[in-house]
Amino acid sequence: MIVTCTSIGVYEHALTRGNKYKVINQENAKYRIKGDHGKRVWINQAYFDLGEVFVLQMMDWKFDDDILSWNIIEVTIVFNDGSSRWCNMTTPEKLVEHFKNPMTHPLGLFMDKLIIMKTLEKDDVEQTLRYLDSQGELEKATRPLNLEELDEDKDFA
């Protein structure tokens, strides 16, 4: 039996999201597979889909706004199926600056698909996006960019 990894959880040493693994044994809702590190490990079935399935994964990303000029930055992410999605990013310091503006209205903020970062350094953003992708969370943290994808996005409201 073959399974496809959909999330690596705490198994970064043994799993790669999107990779296919041969199941050696299974019991108690766990699969025994040979991990990427060459050792046999028991891992909960929740980290896999049965069979060889396509897994949406990030290929590239870019800032859509100048990170020095804006407090809330739009980011576009390109996936391995050719689709693009977007989200907003900011830092705690940039949120403080946002609310210092006397013209801020409304006085509160609700933003779905907002990622708050320690910094907006490229390496930090890359690491965070790759982590979210490895956990299978990046699609939930973003919205479709192409209009034809809006109907397919069940989280879009």
Side-chain angles (χ1 to χ4, degrees):
M1 169 178 19
I2 300 293
V3 294
T4 303
C5 177
T6 56
S7 174
I8 66 167
V10 297
Y11 299 101
E12 184 176 351
H13 63 289
L15 295 177
T16 300
R17 187 168 176 268
N19 278 6
K20 284 52 170 162
Y21 298 90
K22 182 179 178 187
V23 175
I24 300 164
N25 197 354
Q26 77 180 82
E27 62 183 52
N28 299 326
K30 292 183 178 181
Y31 293 130
R32 185 164 178 84
I33 63 160
K34 183 176 181 183
D36 297 341
H37 58 339
K39 298 177 181 177
R40 293 180 177 199
V41 291
W42 286 99
I43 299 179
N44 190 293
Q45 293 175 1
Y47 293 95
F48 303 95
D49 275 351
L50 193 56
E52 295 187 37
V53 299
F54 176 79
V55 175
L56 188 68
Q57 293 177 287
M58 180 179 86
M59 299 302 292
D60 200 10
W61 67 275
K62 69 178 181 78
F63 290 119
D64 295 330
D65 300 312
D66 178 5
I67 63 171
L68 299 176
S69 301
W70 294 91
N71 291 324
I72 299 173
I73 313 299
E74 287 189 7
V75 175
T76 296
I77 302 161
V78 178
F79 290 87
N80 58 344
D81 67 350
S83 67
S84 296
R85 298 178 69 87
W86 68 274
C87 64
N88 291 298
M89 286 191 173
T90 192
T91 65
E93 294 79 15
K94 285 187 172 285
L95 280 176
V96 168
E97 288 304 311
H98 173 79
F99 286 110
K100 281 184 180 177
N101 182 340
M103 301 302 289
T104 297
H105 181 77
L107 300 177
L109 178 68
F110 167 77
M111 290 190 88
D112 193 25
K113 315 305 183 196
L114 174 66
I115 299 172
I116 300 176
M117 300 286 306
K118 184 175 181 178
T119 76
L120 291 175
E121 298 287 328
K122 282 192 142 222
D123 288 344
D124 293 347
V125 172
E126 175 81 17
Q127 182 180 355
T128 299
L129 292 175
R130 292 281 174 204
Y131 174 79
L132 290 170
D133 191 46
S134 74
Q135 300 301 321
E137 298 291 326
L138 190 55
E139 189 175 3
K140 289 185 250 178
T142 58
R143 288 186 180 221
L145 187 59
N146 304 327
L147 291 178
E148 59 270 9
E149 294 175 42
L150 292 178
D151 290 336
E152 298 171 13
D153 185 18
K154 302 195 181 12
D155 292 336
F156 187 75

